[in-house]
Amino acid sequence: MIIQTIAFYVFAAFVVGSAFMVISARNPVHSVLFLILAFFNSAGLFVLLGAEFLAMILVIVYVGAVAVLFLFVVMMLDINFVRLREGFLQYLPIGASVGLLLLVEMILVVGVLATSPDTVAVAAAPTPDITVVSNTEALGALLYTKYVYLFQSAGLILLVAMIGAIVLAHRVRPGVRKQSISAQVSRTRAEGVELKKVKTGDGI
Amino acid sequence: MADLWANYIVPGLWILLQVLVVVVPLLIAVAYFTWFERKVMAAMHLRMGPNVVGPWGLLQPFADAVKMFVKETILPTSANKIVFLIAPVLTFVLALVAWAVIPFGEGLVVSDINVGILYLFAISSLGVYGIIMAGWASNSRYAFLGALRSAAQMVSYEVSIGFVMITVLMVVGSLNLSDIVMAQQKVWFVIPLLPMAVVFFISALAETNRVPFDLPEAESELVAGYQVEYSAMTFGLLFMGENANLILMSGLTVILFLGGWLPPLDIAPFTWIPGPIWFLSKIVVMLFVFIWIRATFPRYRYDQLMRLGWKVFLPLSMFWVVLTGGVLIAFDLVP
């Protein structure tokens, strides 16, 4: 147990520390790198909880895909760091109130779970014990049966968001010579090559 | 005190030993992969290849290693020093930790975790950070262009690799790599899932930035892409990480589609050879194919690379996921 406890405190300290660095680092690229460190350590916390599927999905989705795109965008930005720091204190009240709200809500959730045993029983009921099925299987069995409509509509919302982003950002530029693979492949010798008899001294 | 020994120190030492048993041969394999690659490419080009250091140039990898150690590590003045130094270390460490879940034979695995394949997928999706960080921290145009190309390329091909893995998982019914190998006892998955095996192999080429998808380090246009500012051992770590990733991808192809440590047929002359030898020889065959491709094909154009990933492989692999699921349900083959 000692090892687990030590590991928990190490991971937790790294999550909190790197989350703090995300908002306080001077360079936005460093912020994103610290964000990745925070994600990675939260995945470690999930592993300690025995939720290995969630841990791996967290790394694959957030670190492997989302954060790469963040990093991509941030690296391409041409930012004046001095000007970026100027408005820092101006946003402090909004940020602090959002943080406070999140903290209160989290306390409420934990408080409800801790004070009413019924809720715990209801929340824990649908999954069989960890010794019977692995948690990947348990999650799948729940997501694709009991919560299938919620799951599918979440997927649809993401799809709509993706298509919306593409529609908004895509513009058809005139004058772009785009490669048409089918036109290239369907070209025949007859239309590509023309044989001409050239008389000496006349040209074509 | 005896408790401390029995519970922590002895298991800790045992784990350390297992790690060394995997990592040391792996590093030697990485070194000899460079020799193998140069020899095979040379044979295909009708050249000699390395033949001076040791018999048949067999000591060449060690000569290269010594050279890398003794050269000076140059830090570009405008580079972001910390990120610049972390990047090769990250690449190298990620290439090594992935081997923790690779089964070399029945039960011969450092950590036989339930979500082995997801772990590998997660580690390979982290691999892109080494390259992005290297390219960005170098503060050089060539390096940055290489890093951007690489990031877009690896993210694109990871999607189809994910779908290929899902297809295999549906057939096996488990995320554990040993289970995946054991499910291939009757027939290797390369036969029923041939199109997926091809998609996986080509995506593996793109994921490891190998020819014909080596645009991130295209030496004729970007010098060496994200590695251009690296020297001595920092370069050595990037290079070794890349080659270890290549061996890992070969190993993964073998596990997913070529039956891992299983012999081709479960009859006498094949079963005499132990599992790990089958596994390693299959990896060597895959590596040979990687080198063969390098000596054969010219580089892809970048827009065609993206088209192949998003417009050909993604729809194809999604279609195969649906098809496999349908077939499994229709013929009642769900594991």
Side-chain angles (χ1 to χ4, degrees), chain A residues 79-100:
Chain A
I79 303 173
N80 185 343
F81 296 126
V82 183
R83 269 196 37 214
L84 200 71
R85 308 304 300 181
E86 274 171 10
F88 186 69
L89 283 178
Q90 186 190 336
Y91 297 112
L92 199 61
I94 307 172
S97 49
V98 170
L100 194 70

Side-chain angles (χ1 to χ4, degrees), chain B residues 294-314:
Chain B
R294 177 168 174 192
T296 311
F297 288 106
R299 190 173 297 136
Y300 246 59
R301 213 172 66 198
Y302 200 73
D303 62 321
Q304 292 177 337
L305 171 95
M306 283 295 156
R307 177 182 163 270
L308 184 72
W310 290 106
K311 292 188 178 169
V312 180
F313 282 177
L314 183 62

Side-chain angles (χ1 to χ4, degrees), chain B residues 280-321:
Chain B
L280 294 178
S281 45
K282 284 175 193 173
I283 288 184
V284 172
V285 171
M286 290 306 298
L287 287 175
F288 178 79
V289 178
F290 273 115
I291 298 167
W292 190 4
I293 287 173
R294 177 168 174 192
T296 311
F297 288 106
R299 190 173 297 136
Y300 246 59
R301 213 172 66 198
Y302 200 73
D303 62 321
Q304 292 177 337
L305 171 95
M306 283 295 156
R307 177 182 163 270
L308 184 72
W310 290 106
K311 292 188 178 169
V312 180
F313 282 177
L314 183 62
L316 181 71
S317 50
M318 274 167 117
F319 168 72
W320 264 83
V321 169

